[in-house]
Each structure stands twice: as structure tokens, then as C-alpha cells.
Amino acid sequence: MSSQKRFNVAVVGSTGAVGEQIIRLLDERNFPLHELKLLSSARSAGKKVRFKEREITIEEATPESFEGIDIALFSAGGDVSRELIPHAVDHGAVCIDNTSAYRMDPDTPLIVPEVNIDKISDHRGIIANPNCSTIQMVAALKPLYDRYGISRIIVSTYQAVSGAGAKAIQEMLRQSKEVLEGREAAPELLPVGSLPVKHQIAFNAIPQIDKFTENGFTYEEMKMINETKKMLDDESLEVTATCVRIPVVYGHSESVYVELKSDFDVEQVKSLLAAAPGIVLQDNLQLQQYPLATEAAGKLDTFVGRVRRDLSNPRGLNLWIVSDNLLKGAAWNAVQIAEYIAIEQH
Amino acid sequence: MSSQKRFNVAVVGSTGAVGEQIIRLLDERNFPLHELKLLSSARSAGKKVRFKEREITIEEATPESFEGIDIALFSAGGDVSRELIPHAVDHGAVCIDNTSAYRMDPDTPLIVPEVNIDKISDHRGIIANPNCSTIQMVAALKPLYDRYGISRIIVSTYQAVSGAGAKAIQEMLRQSKEVLEGREAAPELLPVGSLPVKHQIAFNAIPQIDKFTENGFTYEEMKMINETKKMLDDESLEVTATCVRIPVVYGHSESVYVELKSDFDVEQVKSLLAAAPGIVLQDNLQLQQYPLATEAAGKLDTFVGRVRRDLSNPRGLNLWIVSDNLLKGAAWNAVQIAEYIAIEQH
């Protein structure tokens, strides 16, 4: 790839849980970089980050930071994206946004490469990365959607604390230690940093991720519902979701029930999944093999198992879908999109 | 209650996680006891247990242990129940069995008092306590079943390690400590003690509880499916289940999706739940109030929240159901049955 075009890339949110993984992946994947600009809030500016043989100093992200940037990867929260992305677009950068700011914008393609890479060019400077819990589900369901059609999805999630950022990981580990030592576990951050009520996450399951909307679903649940329909370009698809935080560090697990539109053979479903890009089938009951968060952590793929037909509905199918929420669920999906842009512009 | 009839009660499995809770509840609830006989395997015989002002020595359970016993509560595993219950019945005891041994036996009523107390007298010496994950779900769904009818249930569970016994609690706490100290978490017991493959439960979610059956569902999942149909006496009811172990000590949580047979009003559903015996509605989104395993632990009730209509199906309803798996899910349901027998025979 030595003679290929090289890109000026900016990472916004360089010190966050996702930003760190984006930088690591750009490094490990040998992304064709000309310049790498690491941006953050004023608070983290000045820190140095090791990248290949050099050190890069993090700079404060401002509207002017994007001059000369070809690709900008945003994961610093919705407000930062809303504020800075228009400037980055004005400067000619293609922005890959990991926040929810532009996901439902009709002019912004919402991309999981395994699902709808054909839409990648339909952008006006912004490509949105879907929500972590949505990415892995849609990546796993796409081959089934294409082959059989899907009429409805009922999903319950088992989401890792890293989805709420590095501070949430620290809180969960601290609380775990407190409980093990027989002390009171002091909740300070979760379930939602900006809301007043706090609940213990250590040795618990919290059925709230993000704020509640007026219909009784959380924003996280509405993201799964709306983003899935947008990505599959199917408003008739019935989706319902219950999103739950559990004491896992990395890796979201999902219990997914789907109703297919046509008859299926379970072994054929497994073959389709095993052959699908980015999907690894882990489904050997004899060996007690199924996806596990601890094993998916650090890996780029989405793992699927517990594939079985509903005993009461011949078109009902149960699946257990696991992926690293910071990787395929965020950083890797974003870098994957950047790689497609790089290939396209080569 | 001083002049009431008093009963000779035996507890089989006195040193187990459930047995201990049964003994505590018989004490706290001032069950009308004449004699309390504590039974266990030979290994635990000789241990002493404090009960009110006295000490009771645990005896080895044998076929002759049940002479003169009125009520015997079994929670020492299916094999012990299958071996000893016929002898206890021969001795005239009414056996309340907390194992799966007799649950699907057509001559054995499967009782959750809030659901089908009318069936309690239909026994031939054995009354079965349902599976923990089934009890709390059916207790919460019964008022909705009676009012609206239910055509299908799709449940995903978040089950506490105490459901696998005291050793599983120890394993989970030990592994948690190992991970927090940066060591390898050594899995020795879970997911299933008698199976060869072991998985880490600390900071993980394991989609296997009990062994797999030939249809790809686990026995735990099949219990939820079959016991729910039996208790609601409805073979046409469609049930599918995914049972998952998570790192929680006490309290099973369940994400339950139901399709009702008739139209419903969400506020009326909440009112029905709030008024139902043994059910506590915890559903105030403004206050971020919903059931939590850590808060349900140690309590006798079943807690229900996150009550909301499926946005895509007007007869679809989502619920989050939590209860202490050792109490309503086992010991308390068994003692409750014993209390009804005591009242009946008074």
C-alpha cells in the first residue's frame, strides 16, 4: 500500500475510551496516514500519546482544527459533534461521527460496512456510526434479513459499563471492591451521569441506559429501534428493545428474538452466519460453546450462538449476539468506515 | 394462633442455600410448629442450627426420617427428592418439593399461591414448587392473564449465581477478587457443576443455566416454558425463554415481553399489578425507579417495573420483573405453601 494516497486524519475525543481504541486501530491497521491530529477538550490538551515511533501532543479541538483534514473521527459526545462537525465539513473533511447527533438525519448515512456499505457515498460530509448495541445486532441479522426477511425483532441487552465511558468502568470496579470488602458500594455515576438518581452497578442489573423518553423507552432503546429500521431501510420492521447495564467491563451481549418472513432451516441459518463477513458462529452445545463477553473483549468480530428455533413459532428464531462494544460497537466500525473511504479515494 | 393445630415439619437439605432460608422463614413467620426436624446428607449430619431459643442437631435424611412428619420441605436436589419423597408420602407427610423431580408429573400440583392456590388440594402427597425464574414471572403475569389473556411470552433472564447454590456464590466472589487483583479468574463450577466445560462468571454473562436439551434450549429454559403452561393450565400459550447467568448474588431479573389477547391500557396494567398480591409495582421513570436485584434481595415480594407498550404492536407489553430467587423463587414460595396447608388443616 506504499504508493497509495495518504490522509490527514483527526481524532476528536482522543482521551476517551473509544478515542483511545480508534488511535490504537489506526496504528495496528497501518491506516494510510499522512498526518494524525489528536484533538480533545481544553482539559486534556497538552497530553502526549505514543503513536508508532513518535509522540503526538493532543491539541484542543476548535473550529479551525480541521483545516487540511481529510477524515475526522468524532467520539467526544453529541454536543461536541453538533458544534464542531459543521466546521470540519466546511473545511472539506469527511466526518465519521460516533455520537447520536446525526444518526437519524436523513442526509447522513448510518453505516455498518457489513450491512449497508453501498450507502457510504450518500453523504454530505457526515457519516454516522450507529449505537454500539445496534451495530452488533444488525451486523448479525443482516444475512438473515437478506435471505429470509425479518418481520420483527425483540431484543434484551446485557451491556458492559465501558459503554458509559472510562469513569463508569472505574465506578463498577471500585464498587465491586467495596462490596467484596463488606463495605457499602457508593453509586456516583451510573445509570446516567447527568441524572440525579444513582444506582449500584456492581453485582446488579440496571434496566436503564440513557434517559427515558416520553413513551417509557430509554433513548438507548429508541436508538436500537430507530437505527435498525434506518439501516435496513425498512419502516415496516417491528422492533422492541429492553436495554440493561450489567457488571461486565467490555462486551455487550444480546438475547435476540426474530421472526423471519419465510421458512428457514436452523442449520442453514448457522451456515449463513458462519459465512457472513465480520460474524463468527460460536455454537456447539456439546462443547458448551457460545459467545461470551469476556472472550469477545478485544476482538473485532461479532459472535453469534444459541441459534435455535422458537418451539411455539416455526418462524421464530433465538440468537445470542456478543461483540466488544468499544471495537465493533464503536472504534472499529468507525475505522472500518475510514478504511472504506480510503479505498474509495485511492 | 396459640390454640391452632401444630405441625411436625421436616426440612430436607437444611444446610443448602434454600434450606437455610426455609428454616429462617419458619422461625420469622412463627410457623405453627410442634417439632422441627432438620435433615441433610450424611456429610452435614451432626451440625447444629440455632432455631428460636434452642439448638437443633441436623440428622441424616433416611427413608425412616419421616415417621410422624406432617409436612416435609425438600430442597436437596432432584435425586434426593426422587429417592426420599415416596417414603415421606408413605409415612403420611405432605411433601413440598423445591426440585424439578415432580413438577411436570400430572398428579403433582405445581403451586405459586398467588397464581393457582385453588389447585393446592389436588395432590397425592406431593406439591411442587416451580423453578425460581418461573415463579416470579408467573406471579407477575397472572393478573394480566386473568384480565386480558396472554397469547405469548418471550423472556430473557438475568439470573443470580445463588440459584446455583452457595458454592457458586463463593466462586463468583472469588473470581471477582481475582480479576480486581489483576489475576486470572479460575472457573471451577459454573455454568453447570456436572459438566466438563467451565466459564468465568465474574464480569461476564453466561447464556447457559443447566444442561442443554436436544432441541437447543437448556433445561432451565424448558422449565420456564413448560411450568408456565402447566401453572396457567394453558397448552396454547406460546413461551420462549433465554436464560442467562450474570454476576449478581441474589435476585433474578427478567426482561419479559408479552402479547395480550385483548386491548389494554398501560395505566390499568400498572393498577392491576400494584393491587396484585405479592407484587410490588416500582415504576416511576421521573424518579428513575424500577426493580433492582440488589434492592429485591432479602424481600419476599416480586417487583415489577419498566411497564410499557410495544411501539410496534399495540397488544405487546414489556415488563422488568425482579425477585429474590432464594425467597419467592424457592424458600418463601415453599413456606407459603406450607402456611396454606396449615391454614387448611386448622
Side-chain angles (χ1 to χ4, degrees):
Chain A
M1 310 240 288
S2 57
S3 68
Q4 77 182 111
K5 183 177 168 188
R6 299 200 156 261
F7 297 84
N8 292 329
V9 172
V11 177
V12 184
S14 298
T15 58
V18 175
E20 282 179 357
Q21 296 302 319
I22 287 175
I23 296 166
R24 188 177 65 78
L25 286 166
L26 290 171
D27 185 347
E28 283 182 15
R29 305 267 314 169
N30 289 315
F31 190 86
L33 288 168
H34 180 255
E35 187 204 349
L36 176 61
K37 200 166 194 173
L38 302 185
L39 302 169
S40 74
S41 63
R43 197 164 35 81
S44 298
K47 284 188 189 167
K48 289 179 199 302
V49 171
R50 190 130 200 105
F51 189 86
K52 297 205 183 282
E53 271 80 59
R54 57 208 168 103
E55 258 188 350
I56 302 178
T57 304
I58 296 177
E59 300 167 49
E60 182 183 352
T62 69
E64 291 69 45
S65 303
F66 303 93
E67 171 126 36
I69 293 296
D70 302 305
I71 300 171
L73 298 119
F74 281 78
S75 57
D79 290 344
V80 173
S81 287
R82 269 182 291 267
E83 190 199 326
L84 293 179
I85 282 180
H87 297 287
V89 172
D90 282 349
H91 280 105
V94 177
C95 298
I96 302 168
D97 185 21
N98 196 45
T99 78
S100 63
Y102 293 92
R103 284 183 195 146
M104 295 310 294
D105 169 20
D107 290 334
T108 301
L110 186 64
I111 301 289
V112 172
E114 294 84 351
V115 174
N116 58 352
I117 193 64
D118 55 303
K119 299 279 201 310
I120 197 169
S121 305
D122 302 351
H123 67 80
R124 302 186 183 182
I126 314 174
I127 296 168
N129 217 33
N131 185 50
C132 47
S133 51
T134 316
I135 291 177
Q136 65 184 67
M137 180 173 83
V138 178
L141 294 184
K142 183 56 158 69
L144 309 184
Y145 185 88
D146 287 347
R147 174 68 181 76
Y148 306 105
I150 293 177
S151 51
R152 73 192 313 199
I153 302 170
I154 296 167
V155 54
S156 297
T157 70
Y158 303 66
Q159 292 183 235
V161 291
S162 54
K167 281 184 186 164
I169 300 176
Q170 291 314 314
E171 160 148 294
M172 195 271 282
L173 297 176
R174 173 181 55 73
Q175 288 182 0
S176 300
K177 197 157 173 283
E178 288 165 345
V179 172
L180 289 172
E181 291 171 354
R183 290 185 286 147
E184 191 87 356
E188 289 172 4
L189 180 69
L190 292 171
V192 182
S194 60
L195 291 182
V197 177
K198 304 299 173 188
H199 297 300
Q200 176 183 326
I201 181 60
F203 307 111
N204 209 3
I206 302 180
Q208 178 183 12
I209 298 182
D210 211 332
K211 297 177 187 176
F212 287 104
T213 70
E214 285 189 0
N215 61 23
F217 287 77
T218 59
Y219 279 93
E220 183 82 0
E221 289 158 355
M222 291 311 300
K223 287 173 194 169
M224 291 198 79
I225 293 168
N226 293 328
E227 295 177 16
T228 299
K229 290 181 185 183
K230 176 169 176 173
M231 266 188 291
L232 294 173
D233 196 13
D234 184 351
E235 265 308 310
S236 75
L237 182 61
E238 299 182 1
V239 187
T240 196
T242 300
C243 291
V244 181
R245 189 80 71 191
I246 64 167
V248 163
V249 184
Y250 303 108
H252 288 351
S253 303
E254 297 175 344
S255 170
V256 179
Y257 178 84
V258 290
E259 267 174 37
L260 301 182
K261 281 187 176 168
S262 52
D263 294 339
F264 65 90
D265 174 79
V266 173
E267 290 310 315
Q268 191 183 41
V269 165
K270 290 185 191 175
S271 301
L272 279 170
L273 289 168
I279 303 296
V280 175
L281 181 74
Q282 292 185 320
D283 197 350
N284 184 325
L285 304 186
Q286 202 77 33
L287 301 176
Q288 298 175 256
Q289 184 208 53
Y290 30 72
L292 292 170
T294 48
E295 292 180 6
K299 304 203 175 82
L300 302 185
D301 291 314
T302 296
F303 300 87
V304 186
R306 294 300 320 274
V307 180
R308 64 206 192 279
R309 190 191 303 275
D310 179 0
L311 303 172
S312 55
N313 178 352
R315 290 193 177 168
L317 181 73
N318 290 292
L319 305 158
W320 179 252
I321 302 171
V322 181
S323 192
D324 189 319
N325 52 298
L326 294 187
L327 296 179
K328 183 58 186 169
W332 168 231
N333 199 70
V335 171
Q336 230 181 339
I337 292 170
E339 289 186 351
Y340 276 95
I341 294 171
I343 291 166
E344 213 175 36
Q345 300 194 359
H346 187 215
Chain B
M1 309 243 286
S2 57
S3 69
Q4 77 183 112
K5 184 177 168 187
R6 299 199 156 264
F7 297 83
N8 292 328
V9 172
V11 177
V12 185
S14 299
T15 58
V18 175
E20 282 180 357
Q21 296 301 320
I22 288 176
I23 297 165
R24 187 177 66 79
L25 286 166
L26 291 172
D27 185 347
E28 283 181 15
R29 305 267 313 169
N30 288 314
F31 190 85
L33 288 168
H34 181 255
E35 189 204 345
L36 177 62
K37 203 167 194 174
L38 301 185
L39 302 169
S40 75
S41 64
R43 194 164 36 82
S44 297
K47 283 189 189 166
K48 288 175 201 307
V49 172
R50 190 130 199 104
F51 189 86
K52 297 205 183 284
E53 270 79 60
R54 58 209 169 100
E55 259 190 347
I56 301 177
T57 304
I58 296 177
E59 301 166 48
E60 183 183 352
T62 70
E64 290 71 43
S65 303
F66 302 94
E67 171 126 38
I69 292 297
D70 302 306
I71 300 170
L73 297 119
F74 282 77
S75 57
D79 290 344
V80 173
S81 287
R82 271 182 289 268
E83 188 199 330
L84 292 179
I85 281 180
H87 297 287
V89 172
D90 283 348
H91 280 104
V94 177
C95 298
I96 302 168
D97 186 22
N98 196 46
T99 78
S100 63
Y102 293 93
R103 284 184 194 145
M104 296 310 294
D105 171 20
D107 291 334
T108 300
L110 186 65
I111 301 291
V112 173
E114 293 84 350
V115 173
N116 58 352
I117 192 64
D118 55 303
K119 299 279 201 312
I120 196 170
S121 305
D122 303 350
H123 67 80
R124 301 183 184 185
I126 314 173
I127 297 167
N129 217 33
N131 186 50
C132 47
S133 51
T134 316
I135 291 177
Q136 66 185 66
M137 182 175 81
V138 179
L141 294 184
K142 182 59 158 71
L144 309 184
Y145 185 87
D146 288 347
R147 174 69 181 78
Y148 307 104
I150 294 177
S151 52
R152 74 192 312 199
I153 303 170
I154 297 167
V155 53
S156 297
T157 70
Y158 303 67
Q159 295 183 232
V161 291
S162 54
K167 280 184 187 164
I169 301 177
Q170 291 314 315
E171 160 147 296
M172 195 271 283
L173 296 177
R174 173 182 55 72
Q175 287 182 0
S176 301
K177 197 158 173 286
E178 286 165 349
V179 172
L180 289 173
E181 290 170 355
R183 291 185 286 148
E184 190 89 355
E188 290 172 4
L189 179 69
L190 291 172
V192 182
S194 60
L195 292 182
V197 177
K198 305 299 174 190
H199 296 301
Q200 175 183 327
I201 180 60
F203 308 111
N204 208 3
I206 304 179
Q208 179 183 14
I209 298 181
D210 210 332
K211 297 176 186 176
F212 287 105
T213 70
E214 286 190 359
N215 61 22
F217 286 78
T218 60
Y219 279 94
E220 183 81 359
E221 289 159 355
M222 291 312 298
K223 287 173 193 170
M224 291 199 80
I225 294 168
N226 293 327
E227 295 177 16
T228 299
K229 290 182 184 182
K230 176 169 176 174
M231 267 188 288
L232 295 173
D233 196 13
D234 185 350
E235 265 307 311
S236 75
L237 182 61
E238 298 183 359
V239 187
T240 198
T242 300
C243 291
V244 181
R245 189 80 69 192
I246 64 167
V248 163
V249 184
Y250 302 109
H252 288 351
S253 302
E254 298 175 345
S255 170
V256 179
Y257 177 85
V258 289
E259 267 173 34
L260 301 181
K261 283 187 175 167
S262 51
D263 294 338
F264 65 89
D265 174 80
V266 172
E267 290 310 314
Q268 191 183 43
V269 165
K270 290 185 189 175
S271 300
L272 278 170
L273 290 167
I279 303 297
V280 175
L281 181 74
Q282 292 185 322
D283 197 351
N284 185 325
L285 303 186
Q286 201 78 35
L287 301 176
Q288 296 175 258
Q289 185 208 51
Y290 30 71
L292 292 169
T294 48
E295 291 180 5
K299 303 206 175 80
L300 302 184
D301 292 313
T302 296
F303 301 86
V304 186
R306 297 295 325 272
V307 181
R308 63 205 192 278
R309 190 192 303 275
D310 179 359
L311 302 173
S312 57
N313 178 353
R315 289 192 178 169
L317 181 72
N318 289 293
L319 305 158
W320 179 251
I321 302 171
V322 181
S323 192
D324 188 319
N325 52 301
L326 294 186
L327 296 178
K328 184 57 187 170
W332 167 230
N333 198 70
V335 170
Q336 230 181 339
I337 292 171
E339 289 186 351
Y340 275 95
I341 294 171
I343 291 165
E344 214 176 34
Q345 300 193 0
H346 186 215

